[in-house]
Amino acid sequence: MRARSTCSGADSRLRSRTERARADRRAPEDESTANLSFAPLPQFAGGDKENGRKADAVNTGIGFARTPLVCVIDADSILEPDGLLRAAEPYMHDDGRLVAVGGTIRIANGCTIEGGSLREIAVTREWVPRFQIVEYLRAFLTARVANASFGTLLLISGAFGMFRRSALLEIGGYRHDTVGEDLEVVVRLHRYMREQKRDYAVDFVPDIVCWTEAPANLAGLRNQRARWQQGALETLVAHRRMIGNPRYGRVGMIGMPQLVLEDVIGAPAELLGYIVVPAAALLGVLEPPVALAFLCLTVLFGTALSFGSLALEEVQLRRTPTARDLARIGAAAFAENFGFRQVNLVYRLRGIRSFLRKETAWAAVPRVGFAKA
């Protein structure tokens, strides 16, 4: 297998710098050699290299690039035509503090894509991708916006992100020894800048929209969510000294504890709730009407949060074209409480098990392809 990376030029000196940084880290997979092939456009070059997973491909691209900014985008993702300009704009008005910018990720399943361009936006009829549309709306239009405003944004989505290249070189690029490299590299940027006592910023711009292919079935979703969970735990262990440490400012006092709450406590606590509440009702410790009211409150709160995110999307981004598509997303926002959330919990528990077993295998997510997305 081969991985492809692209960049806007070649600079052997900076490439060597990246390779030395990776060697110093003693990464388990270090396939740093690549062959450049120049396209008819003189400002564009493509490189082919042996597969070393995403981290190695990105590091190769960073090493060959000569521009101050680098864009990292997944092969199964498509950026809207003005996406690069919108991502670069914050850097144009910046004094050098900004080190990373992320944008909104939307689900491309059901959309019409031709020639590498998004031709028509639509919502798929399949339930698994539709549930993920709801998840992504909640994550990007509420959680990411809030974290960015508080200065505690720990994740730039792997589907798309724009970074200051010099900052990535200083921290040694992406790590190979984790399955959650996208989360880890941003946390490491925070840690490095704080330890160097440098003024910096990590930003999120909702108006940048990148469309990505989501897992179309439960098998793909299982591999993806288990890997996300495992990667989050690996990142927390690698940077555990940041948790609750005032030296790292809001990131240490708010961002990292939030990550612990979500990825260490969250899944076991949710599982315990599914066991304790029904058991307490059956044993008579909890009155059945109270248990039912608790269930209704949980569903109502989750659905209201999803509807609120959908309303934000309609006001700010307006990427849902028809009332029928809005209704489909609304139906998924309610239905996800009865099955999808529970299945997702099982997949997260699998990720915890993989972390405890120290598994390093990359669980691939089967892709349908944009032609059939």
Side-chain angles (χ1 to χ4, degrees):
M1 296 179 63
R2 302 183 76 83
R4 182 174 296 273
S5 59
T6 60
C7 55
S8 60
D11 186 328
S12 58
R13 180 176 61 84
L14 290 173
R15 174 193 175 195
S16 299
R17 217 174 139 189
T18 304
E19 291 173 356
R20 286 198 302 272
R22 293 204 303 274
D24 291 342
R25 239 186 2 259
R26 297 180 181 177
E29 297 175 0
D30 189 6
E31 310 238 2
S32 57
T33 58
N35 296 319
L36 278 181
S37 57
F38 290 88
L41 294 176
Q43 71 270 26
F44 180 84
D48 281 341
K49 63 176 298 301
E50 294 299 325
N51 184 18
R53 302 205 306 207
K54 177 179 177 177
D56 196 47
V58 172
N59 285 342
T60 301
I62 295 170
F64 280 122
R66 65 184 179 191
T67 54
L69 303 178
V70 292
C71 171
V72 179
I73 185 169
D74 283 350
D76 60 355
S77 302
I78 294 177
L79 196 61
E80 290 192 350
D82 62 349
L84 284 177
L85 291 176
R86 288 182 179 273
E89 184 178 3
Y91 290 97
M92 296 170 61
H93 304 289
D94 178 61
D95 57 0
R97 296 175 59 253
L98 191 59
V99 295
V101 167
T104 301
I105 308 299
R106 292 295 304 269
I107 303 299
N109 301 54
C111 298
T112 301
I113 297 172
E114 297 177 355
S117 298
L118 183 69
R119 300 298 183 186
E120 183 181 359
I121 299 174
V123 175
T124 180
R125 295 182 179 181
E126 298 179 353
W127 282 100
V128 172
R130 213 190 308 175
F131 288 139
Q132 294 171 78
I133 293 176
V134 177
E135 285 186 309
Y136 278 47
L137 288 176
R138 280 199 307 264
F140 287 96
L141 296 183
T142 55
R144 299 286 171 90
V145 172
N147 284 327
S149 64
F150 278 105
T152 58
L153 183 61
L154 298 181
L155 175 62
I156 299 294
S157 174
F160 169 78
M162 184 172 285
F163 298 84
R164 192 174 297 278
R165 181 169 170 268
S166 59
L168 290 178
L169 286 171
E170 287 181 46
I171 65 171
Y174 282 64
R175 289 180 58 168
H176 301 68
D177 56 351
T178 177
V179 298
E181 65 281 332
D182 302 312
L183 171 65
E184 193 282 330
V185 74
V186 179
V187 172
R188 186 151 40 96
L189 276 171
H190 280 291
R191 179 174 181 174
Y192 177 80
M193 293 296 174
R194 286 284 180 178
E195 291 178 349
Q196 295 295 314
K197 298 183 177 3
R198 287 164 56 177
D199 194 16
Y200 74 102
V202 176
D203 203 2
F204 173 77
V205 181
D207 293 335
I208 305 170
V209 180
C210 179
W211 296 82
T212 191
E213 182 188 355
N217 53 47
L218 291 178
L221 186 72
R222 176 195 63 210
N223 292 346
Q224 182 192 67
R225 299 309 166 88
R227 187 174 70 241
W228 287 359
Q229 180 69 38
Q230 181 182 351
L233 295 175
E234 290 172 349
T235 298
L236 282 169
V237 169
H239 301 284
R240 57 189 177 274
R241 65 177 298 176
M242 297 177 65
I243 302 172
N245 190 336
R247 178 184 182 185
Y248 299 97
R250 295 180 182 178
V251 173
M253 300 301 293
I254 299 176
M256 294 298 285
Q258 179 185 347
L259 200 61
V260 171
L261 185 64
E262 293 174 353
D263 293 301
V264 177
I265 301 174
E270 185 177 351
L271 176 63
L272 189 64
Y274 287 133
I275 295 173
V276 170
V277 173
L282 290 174
L283 295 174
V285 177
L286 186 66
E287 292 293 330
V290 176
L292 182 60
F294 181 77
L295 172 63
C296 292
L297 181 62
T298 303
V299 172
L300 180 62
F301 178 78
T303 304
L305 183 61
S306 299
F307 281 166
S309 301
L310 183 57
L312 286 173
E313 193 276 340
E314 186 64 16
V315 170
Q316 183 167 356
L317 300 178
R318 300 187 66 85
R319 296 302 195 278
T320 306
T322 67
R324 177 179 294 182
D325 287 334
L326 285 171
R328 285 177 176 173
I329 299 175
F334 177 76
E336 70 164 344
N337 295 285
F338 307 99
F340 181 77
R341 285 179 179 267
Q342 292 74 27
V343 168
N344 200 24
L345 171 62
V346 173
Y347 297 158
R348 293 181 64 193
L349 293 173
R350 287 174 62 99
I352 294 175
R353 184 186 65 180
S354 298
F355 168 74
L356 294 175
R357 292 180 175 181
K358 298 182 179 180
E359 297 178 2
T360 59
W362 182 271
V365 178
R367 301 295 184 184
V368 176
F370 283 133
K372 299 179 180 180

